[in-house]
């Protein structure tokens, strides 16, 4: 899923104007902090967090086709084991007081990054007027 999001981001970035790319770069950290704030707020509202992990297991798959056993017959599948990766999401306990402290620290960082990003956005618009 992350690979898909990264590919989409790269595709969008390739289509963006120089000003848009500059602004995306200038606001990257702020967007990350905003995502973390939203995640913590969701955890606090639910009372628990989600943890994701991947498991890999072998599954039978058709790897090739064998010639027919007799003339006029149908090709036969040749099976082999291939690894399949599945992403699992489970609920985990949180410590609400710790989450609230993280939220306060992230909101302070958000305010700082908002000020920095505003200046960098203005510089981007001056450097790459549209």
């Amino acid at each position: 899923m992350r690979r898909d999001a990264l590919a989409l981001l790269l595709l969008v970035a390739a289509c963006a104007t120089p000003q848009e790319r500059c602004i995306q770069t200038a606001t990257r950290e702020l967007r990350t902090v905003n995502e973390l704030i939203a995640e913590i707020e969701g955890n606090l509202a639910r009372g628990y967090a989600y943890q994701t992990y991947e498991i890999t297991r072998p599954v039978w798959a058709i790897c090739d086709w064998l010639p027919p056993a007799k003339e006029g017959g149908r090709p036969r599948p040749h099976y082999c084991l291939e690894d399949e990766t599945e992403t699992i999401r489970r609920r985990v306990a949180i410590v609400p007081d710790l989450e609230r402290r993280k939220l306060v620290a992230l909101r302070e960082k958000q305010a700082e990054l908002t000020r920095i990003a505003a200046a960098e956005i203005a510089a981007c618009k001056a450097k790459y007027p549209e």
Side-chain angles (χ1 to χ4, degrees):
M1 186 168 167
R2 279 206 158 152
R3 284 187 213 130
D4 294 339
L6 180 59
L8 181 62
L9 181 63
L10 291 174
L11 180 63
V12 170
C15 298
T17 66
Q19 184 188 85
E20 290 168 334
R21 286 193 300 271
C22 182
I23 290 172
Q24 287 171 357
T25 301
T27 58
R28 181 175 295 131
E29 291 297 318
L30 179 59
R31 287 192 313 272
T32 300
V33 168
N34 289 340
E35 290 170 7
L36 291 171
I37 287 171
E39 180 180 341
I40 290 173
E41 287 173 341
N43 293 348
L44 287 169
R46 279 188 309 275
Y48 57 88
Y50 286 112
Q51 179 184 51
T52 58
Y53 61 99
E54 291 182 346
I55 59 170
T56 302
R57 63 178 135 227
V59 295
W60 287 105
I62 297 174
C63 298
D64 199 5
W65 289 91
L66 300 174
K70 57 185 171 186
E71 188 150 339
R74 302 169 89 179
R76 300 169 297 155
H78 175 250
Y79 291 93
C80 62
L81 287 172
E82 291 187 354
D83 285 339
E84 177 181 89
T85 302
E86 182 180 357
T87 301
I88 307 292
R89 184 171 91 156
R90 67 177 174 188
R91 293 178 219 125
V92 293
I94 61 169
V95 179
D97 291 340
L98 178 60
E99 294 293 307
R100 285 186 198 97
R101 286 196 299 268
K102 288 194 304 189
L103 188 57
V104 168
L106 283 170
R107 285 190 174 141
E108 290 172 2
K109 186 67 174 176
Q110 180 187 41
E112 174 189 339
L113 290 173
T114 299
R115 287 189 298 276
I116 293 169
E120 290 181 359
I121 289 169
C124 289
K125 287 181 178 180
K127 186 174 181 178
Y128 303 105
E130 289 189 337

